[in-house]
């Protein structure tokens, strides 16, 4: 936790509206009990932010700020790295202030929200940014004291994955061998393309014709360039698909089922 005067957060002076900033700001002396506290910090509705090479989307952060003196202004933004002083990612570059509403039953508590645009091609220039980010939350109370919590919450930015499937031969006689191939790739933010994702477990699933339920037959490991290949016996008409459940840095992906006619 940090408590600091407004002059130490220059980037906010350009983004907080004049009506939210005092003419003269300073750090107020006080105990930890007087500091602003933050809770219910939620990014993107609690869902991972999965980005293809050219994804553009709006990300929203919501949180609750509480201060015995009331909250004059509050802000929150995700950052990535060992600490805020050595961060290799801050998003957005100039974080805007949140829009806060004071609780009708408790003037010391405000619920806040901020939204900003994400452009993968512009904002994510290397793959090392994939994974967990911390969310910094800060506030200025009505006595001009500023408080910031470096890790008030978390956000997950992940690389978009794609998986394909092809089952053959089609049609096939019952009892014969079916070969199922495919490929697992994921977004490469550095090249702006998709590249093979090797060494990852992928499930082969089957759905009988007329059913809505897929059953996992086996798990295969993606090879060089993300290649997938396995075999199974033909039993009945149905659909085969590959399912990748994702990793801490990469989102999940499910191939559309490929139908095989068994005769």
């Amino acid at each position: 936790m940090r408590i600091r005067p407004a002059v130490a957060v220059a980037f906010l002076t350009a983004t907080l509206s004049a009506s939210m900033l005092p003419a003269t700001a300073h750090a107020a002396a006080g105990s930890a009990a007087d500091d602003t506290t933050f809770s219910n910090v939620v990014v993107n509705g609690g869902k991972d932010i999965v980005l293809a090479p050219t994804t553009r989307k709006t990300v929203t952060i919501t949180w609750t700020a509480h201060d015995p003196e009331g909250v004059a202004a509050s802000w929150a933004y995700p950052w990535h790295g060992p600490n805020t002083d050595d961060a290799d990612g801050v998003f957005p570059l100039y974080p805007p202030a949140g829009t806060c509403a004071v609780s009708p039953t408790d003037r010391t508590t405000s619920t806040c929200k901020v939204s900003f645009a994400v452009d993968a091609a512009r904002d994510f220039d290397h793959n090392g940014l994939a994974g967990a980010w911390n969310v910094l939350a800060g506030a200025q109370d009505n006595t001009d004291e500023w408080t910031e919590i470096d890790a008030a919450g978390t956000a997950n930015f992940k690389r978009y994955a794609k998986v394909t499937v092809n089952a053959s031969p089609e049609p096939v006689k019952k009892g014969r061998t079916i070969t199922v191939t495919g490929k697992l790739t994921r977004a490469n933010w550095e090249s702006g393309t998709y590249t093979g994702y090797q060494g990852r477990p992928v499930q082969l699933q089957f759905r009988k014709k007329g059913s809505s339920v897929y059953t996992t037959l086996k798990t295969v490991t993606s090879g060089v360039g993300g290649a997938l290949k396995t075999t199974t016996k033909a039993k009945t008409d149905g659909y085969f698909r590959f399912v990748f459940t994702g990793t801490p840095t990469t989102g999940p992906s499910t191939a559309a089922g490929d139908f095989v006619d068994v005769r």
Side-chain angles (χ1 to χ4, degrees), residues 134-226:
N134 285 301
V135 176
L136 180 148
Q140 176 193 11
D141 71 15
N142 288 318
T143 66
D144 300 344
E145 182 179 278
W146 294 61
T147 303
E148 284 189 342
I149 305 297
D150 291 346
T154 58
N156 292 310
F157 288 91
K158 295 186 176 183
R159 297 162 65 179
Y160 188 89
K162 297 193 296 185
V163 63
T164 61
V165 67
N166 181 61
S168 62
E170 304 173 58
V172 63
K173 289 185 178 181
K174 186 174 182 178
R176 293 290 181 89
T177 296
I178 294 174
T179 300
V180 187
T181 58
K183 188 174 184 179
L184 175 64
T185 59
R186 61 174 174 168
N188 187 322
W189 294 336
E190 296 170 11
S191 65
T193 60
Y194 286 87
T195 52
Y197 198 10
Q198 182 177 351
R200 308 314 307 181
V202 179
Q203 298 173 0
L204 173 64
Q205 297 185 344
F206 177 76
R207 175 171 65 88
K208 184 179 179 179
K209 181 181 179 181
S211 171
S212 60
V213 178
Y214 274 94
T215 300
T216 299
L217 301 180
K218 63 176 70 176
T219 298
V220 298
T221 301
S222 58
V224 176

Side-chain angles (χ1 to χ4, degrees), residues 14-211:
T15 55
L16 293 174
S17 68
S19 61
M20 300 174 70
L21 287 173
T24 302
H26 59 279
S31 66
D34 297 325
D35 301 341
T36 307
T37 57
F38 305 94
S39 60
N40 304 319
V41 179
V42 178
V43 180
N44 198 43
K47 299 178 181 179
D48 294 340
I49 304 158
V50 184
L51 305 175
T54 58
T55 297
R56 294 181 180 181
K57 67 180 303 178
T58 298
V59 173
T60 298
I61 305 176
T62 57
W63 68 99
T64 300
H66 172 81
D67 191 283
E69 303 299 331
V71 176
S74 190
W75 54 93
Y77 61 88
W79 62 273
H80 184 270
N83 54 66
T84 53
D85 292 329
D86 298 310
D88 61 359
V90 174
F91 192 78
L93 185 59
Y94 299 103
T99 300
C100 297
V102 179
S103 168
T105 59
D106 181 6
R107 71 171 187 84
T108 67
T109 301
S110 294
T111 55
C112 304
K113 177 180 179 179
V114 67
S115 298
F116 43 83
V118 175
D119 184 333
R122 176 194 66 195
D123 303 318
F124 290 81
D125 59 357
H126 67 93
N127 296 322
L129 293 174
W133 289 47
N134 285 301
V135 176
L136 180 148
Q140 176 193 11
D141 71 15
N142 288 318
T143 66
D144 300 344
E145 182 179 278
W146 294 61
T147 303
E148 284 189 342
I149 305 297
D150 291 346
T154 58
N156 292 310
F157 288 91
K158 295 186 176 183
R159 297 162 65 179
Y160 188 89
K162 297 193 296 185
V163 63
T164 61
V165 67
N166 181 61
S168 62
E170 304 173 58
V172 63
K173 289 185 178 181
K174 186 174 182 178
R176 293 290 181 89
T177 296
I178 294 174
T179 300
V180 187
T181 58
K183 188 174 184 179
L184 175 64
T185 59
R186 61 174 174 168
N188 187 322
W189 294 336
E190 296 170 11
S191 65
T193 60
Y194 286 87
T195 52
Y197 198 10
Q198 182 177 351
R200 308 314 307 181
V202 179
Q203 298 173 0
L204 173 64
Q205 297 185 344
F206 177 76
R207 175 171 65 88
K208 184 179 179 179
K209 181 181 179 181
S211 171

